[in-house]
Amino acid sequence: GNSVTQMEGPVTLSEEAFLTINCTYTATGYPSLFWYVQYPGEGLQLLLKATKADDKGSNKGFEATYRKETTSFHLEKGSVQVSDSAVYFCALMGLTGNQFYFGTGTSLTVIP
Amino acid sequence: SQTIHQWPATLVQPVGSPLSLECTVEGTSNPNLYWYRQAAGRGLQLLFYSVGIGQISSEVPQNLSASRPQDRQFILSSKKLLLSDSGFYLCAWSVLAGYQETQYFGPGTRLLVL
């Protein structure tokens, strides 16, 4: 079946540090992949997505590349800011639609 | 543009009381609608999804039910709340475009059952 595994948190970084949050998936065929961000007390916001192998999603300085060979979709940012502190969710949409599979979320805290 | 509303934003209810949470979507037609629960410090658990009026699929057996009386309205209910129903409830919508579908989330309702 479909599933998403993401890096356990919490992650604490200093401002301007490099960020990587690992995400791997199990799926049949070529699913669509997503990263969502949840700021404290709010709902989830779509951060970026990729719909086919080798696609790179990017937004607000974050990037993730759809790697079919390693079944991964790692989230990266070159220089984090305090305002990036949030919980990040990796997600997958299977080929049949109507079903999204979310990772358990990774909490990121950026300290000045 | 599309927007999704949830209310109330916060709710404190006693054990055994009924529940009704509402979600509405504007700016789109025939969306897929979803209810998720997020327990404190945990990931998302899909509770229900709906592909059309009156069509509800339940993912887990539980104390809750869902209804879709109108195309862009999705309601989460309970006849008698349990302590374990506490959590952050998120509604989401999506529209299938070709083979691509993205979910968009509402602001959430924080429910505390005492």
Side-chain angles (χ1 to χ4, degrees):
Chain A
N2 296 329
S3 67
V4 174
T5 302
Q6 65 179 103
M7 183 173 128
E8 295 264 342
V11 174
T12 303
L13 295 174
S14 298
E15 208 165 19
E16 300 183 2
F18 184 86
L19 168 71
T20 299
I21 301 178
N22 290 340
C23 171
T24 57
Y25 68 89
T26 302
T28 304
Y30 295 87
S32 295
L33 300 172
F34 306 82
W35 276 101
Y36 286 85
V37 57
Q38 184 179 33
Y39 298 103
E42 299 183 11
L44 275 68
Q45 300 176 25
L46 177 66
L47 181 60
L48 54 84
K49 68 178 183 180
T51 57
K52 60 183 188 295
D54 299 326
D55 264 4
K56 178 185 284 188
S58 61
N59 185 25
K60 299 181 180 180
F62 291 90
E63 293 183 340
T65 301
Y66 189 140
R67 302 282 188 202
K68 180 68 177 175
E69 62 277 12
T70 54
T71 61
S72 65
F73 192 55
H74 304 323
L75 182 68
E76 296 181 336
K77 186 174 185 182
S79 176
V80 293
Q81 305 300 312
V82 172
S83 57
D84 294 326
S85 298
V87 180
Y88 292 82
F89 290 90
C90 185
L92 168 160
M93 189 198 82
L95 294 179
T96 55
N98 300 326
Q99 291 273 8
F100 274 66
Y101 299 85
F102 285 85
T104 53
T106 301
S107 174
L108 169 67
T109 301
V110 180
I111 54 179
Chain B
S1 64
Q2 300 87 3
T3 55
I4 179 169
H5 304 280
Q6 284 186 247
W7 66 90
T10 305
L11 190 61
V12 181
Q13 291 284 100
V15 169
S17 65
L19 173 74
S20 180
L21 303 182
E22 191 160 342
C23 170
T24 59
V25 181
E26 296 176 359
T28 186
S29 296
N30 196 31
N32 296 328
L33 296 172
Y34 305 80
W35 277 112
Y36 290 88
R37 176 168 58 205
Q38 185 179 27
R42 307 280 290 277
L44 295 171
Q45 178 187 32
L46 178 63
L47 302 175
F48 303 95
Y49 71 91
S50 171
V51 299
I53 296 174
Q55 299 179 62
I56 309 294
S57 296
S58 175
E59 287 301 296
V60 293
Q62 59 201 307
N63 184 41
L64 302 169
S65 62
S67 62
R68 185 170 177 175
Q70 300 180 43
D71 181 44
R72 290 169 288 178
Q73 184 185 30
F74 205 24
I75 297 172
L76 183 69
S77 304
S78 173
K79 293 182 179 177
K80 287 186 177 182
L81 284 168
L82 305 172
L83 286 174
S84 57
D85 291 325
S86 293
F88 192 45
Y89 288 82
L90 290 161
C91 181
W93 71 272
S94 67
V95 174
L96 188 62
Y99 292 101
Q100 299 182 16
E101 185 174 350
T102 300
Q103 283 195 355
Y104 299 93
F105 286 80
T109 294
R110 193 164 302 282
L111 172 65
L112 179 60
V113 182
L114 300 175

